[in-house]
Amino acid sequence: MMKQALDGLKVVDFSWYIAGPSITMWLAYHGSQVIRIESLTRPDELRSIEPFKDGIAGVNRSGCYANYNSNKYGLSLNLNHSKGVMVARRLIAWADVVVENFTPGTMEAKWGLGYDSARKMKPDIIMLSSSTQGQTGPEAKQAGFGLELASRSGFTNFVGWPDQDATGVGYPYTDTITPPVGVIAIMAALEYLRRTGKGQYIDLSQLEVGVNHLGVALLNYAVNGTQGGRIGNRHPCAAPHGAYRCLGKDRWCTIAVFTDQEWEAFCTAIGQSSLCNNPKFATMLARKTNEEELGRLVENWTQRFTAEEVMMKMQAAGIAAGIVQSGKDLIEDPQLKHRHHFWYLNHPEMGLCAYDGPPFRLSATPAELYMPAPILGEHNEYVCTQLLGMSDQEFLELLTEGVFE
């Protein structure tokens, strides 16, 4: 392995589910030494989330967990044991960065491991807390998950069909948009540390990250008093605009036409140039007025071709179009293969599995995925004896006392 951008950075990860572990995943991809803290009695619940390799459930068989925890060392630690807390304190003293995403106050109140205590152990420590609504405020201590926050931050209001009830986004969306913000914050804190020798605390609110992604909707309400809402696959400034059924079972292609010039190109591409002069569709206003009929017309054409054929015909004409890809499509996608997006690592229980790599490349220090997600407690001995410097006797004593449960 070549030298990585974050070689030498030491990180302790007390977080769970997706938001916190994804932050440390990005750091691990670029050379950070990340120790993932869990408990045998209460492991990360992401380990219980499908899909499971070969359909066989197991604490070490979740593809979802594996995808967010590669390149990390796994330590099972009983923080409800006084000596477990002692080990955690030694880890913090060893670390440069600590990440956690418990309900605000939990780290300090339960274990005395909050930022004020942490900086006594390590004065220049950087600590990031990724909570649902931040560490302060009347609802700060309210527990929650990304799926709820997707609604709380407004996304659910804009997802779905106008004549149907709210459907939600089907995924803990804020868990996936928060981590890049967390990584940027850590990078800023590391630069501050480099210049001043001082660490700091990062209070990251997933709710506020979500709200930041709806700037247009907020501006529309603030300026125009318009609340907006669900419009399905349509767009206020484009027609046709949507996902259209294609040849084959559950195969779709999205198409987006924004200008009259694109509309003319679209009509030519589908072999119906006369539509350009049809008063129902000749202008954007006319196409929006007759959007239902237009949608049927488009789908009557797309259903004659495969999704791939539709996409290629549209793109050749300069029209924005893309296949609605399945998991199989993504794994086989030639562009993703060329970019080496998926990395294949040999997991102790699941065998060879595909892992998402980072979507950017550093020319001098590209990311490297070299170690699959840890099985529960896999690196207990290594972390304690090699990284923390415990003697074999001390480690065995703590093991016997139930510290690593």
Side-chain angles (χ1 to χ4, degrees):
M1 257 190 340
M2 67 176 65
K3 187 172 177 63
Q4 298 293 290
L6 298 178
D7 272 353
L9 185 69
K10 296 176 288 190
V11 181
V12 179
D13 180 2
F14 287 95
S15 62
W16 60 343
Y17 277 100
I18 296 175
S22 293
I23 293 172
T24 59
M25 173 191 72
W26 292 101
L27 303 179
Y29 280 175
H30 292 278
S32 298
Q33 199 167 36
V34 177
I35 300 175
R36 180 81 160 82
I37 308 299
E38 295 182 73
S39 167
L40 293 176
T41 55
R42 193 181 180 189
D44 186 344
E45 292 182 12
L46 194 61
R47 288 181 177 274
S48 66
I49 301 296
E50 296 177 306
F52 296 113
K53 180 68 184 300
D54 302 322
I56 302 171
V59 73
N60 296 312
R61 302 187 64 84
S62 166
C64 194
Y65 176 89
N67 200 47
Y68 296 110
N69 288 282
S70 52
N71 282 21
K72 301 179 186 179
Y73 295 101
L75 175 68
S76 59
L77 190 62
N78 181 3
L79 289 175
N80 293 320
H81 193 297
S82 60
K83 291 187 178 180
V85 174
M86 176 197 72
V87 173
R89 293 173 67 86
R90 290 172 68 170
L91 283 166
I92 290 172
W94 167 86
D96 302 303
V97 176
V98 174
V99 175
E100 63 93 13
N101 64 347
F102 293 108
T103 302
T106 299
M107 286 286 284
E108 185 60 41
K110 288 192 71 172
W111 306 302
L113 300 175
Y115 178 63
D116 288 338
S117 296
R119 62 180 175 176
K120 293 176 183 176
M121 309 170 212
K122 183 76 176 290
D124 61 352
I125 196 74
I126 293 168
M127 186 170 189
L128 181 144
S129 294
S130 172
S131 62
T132 58
Q133 300 181 61
Q135 300 293 306
T136 62
E139 298 183 31
K141 291 187 180 297
Q142 179 178 324
F145 291 96
L147 199 60
E148 301 159 34
L149 287 169
S151 294
R152 186 69 181 266
S153 57
F155 289 102
T156 301
N157 186 58
F158 297 95
V159 177
W161 301 99
D163 59 342
Q164 296 180 13
D165 293 338
T167 60
V169 296
Y171 193 77
Y173 194 59
T174 56
D175 278 48
T176 59
I177 61 176
T178 296
V181 178
V183 173
I184 291 169
I186 289 173
M187 292 299 103
L190 287 169
E191 171 59 15
Y192 179 75
L193 173 64
R194 185 191 67 81
R195 290 188 286 108
T196 68
K198 298 177 181 178
Q200 60 182 302
Y201 182 64
I202 301 168
D203 175 4
L204 179 58
S205 164
Q206 293 184 47
L207 172 63
E208 292 170 45
V209 172
V211 170
N212 265 273
H213 281 68
L214 289 175
V216 173
L218 294 171
L219 183 62
N220 194 21
Y221 177 74
V223 175
N224 302 318
T226 303
Q227 292 195 46
R230 297 183 289 280
I231 59 173
N233 288 325
R234 293 182 177 177
H235 189 284
C237 303
H241 186 284
Y244 300 96
R245 193 182 304 276
C246 299
L247 194 64
K249 184 179 179 182
D250 199 25
R251 299 299 288 172
W252 306 76
C253 184
T254 58
I255 299 173
V257 174
F258 285 86
T259 67
D260 290 341
Q261 290 75 24
E262 289 178 354
W263 170 244
E264 292 175 9
F266 174 83
C267 294
T268 301
I270 68 172
Q272 298 188 46
S273 298
S274 60
L275 283 174
C276 294
N277 300 317
N278 187 321
K280 287 184 177 181
F281 311 121
T283 66
M284 175 61 70
L285 181 60
R287 291 194 293 278
K288 292 299 292 182
T289 301
N290 297 286
E291 201 159 13
E292 287 286 345
E293 184 179 348
L294 177 61
R296 290 192 294 271
L297 185 153
V298 173
E299 196 157 86
N300 284 338
W301 177 80
T302 60
Q303 289 186 99
R304 296 162 46 198
F305 303 94
T306 66
E308 291 80 4
E309 290 172 327
V310 172
M311 179 181 73
M312 297 302 292
K313 289 176 183 290
M314 290 292 101
Q315 291 184 357
I319 307 299
I323 302 168
V324 178
Q325 299 215 95
S326 65
K328 179 177 182 292
D329 293 330
L330 291 169
I331 289 291
E332 297 176 355
D333 187 286
Q335 177 66 16
L336 293 176
K337 282 186 177 181
H338 175 82
R339 296 279 294 175
H340 187 38
H341 174 77
F342 294 109
W343 292 70
Y344 288 82
L345 301 175
N346 198 23
H347 187 274
E349 283 198 26
M350 294 189 290
L352 197 65
C353 297
Y355 292 76
D356 282 307
F360 58 89
R361 309 290 185 273
L362 300 180
S363 61
T365 57
E368 182 79 20
L369 275 69
Y370 59 90
M371 186 166 67
I375 62 175
L376 195 53
E378 179 178 355
H379 302 107
N380 288 355
E381 183 177 0
Y382 175 81
V383 169
C384 290
T385 61
Q386 302 301 310
L387 301 185
L388 296 185
M390 288 184 190
S391 66
D392 291 342
Q393 181 179 350
E394 181 183 8
F395 172 73
L396 289 172
E397 288 175 354
L398 293 174
L399 180 65
T400 302
E401 293 180 52
V403 169
F404 304 112
E405 292 183 356

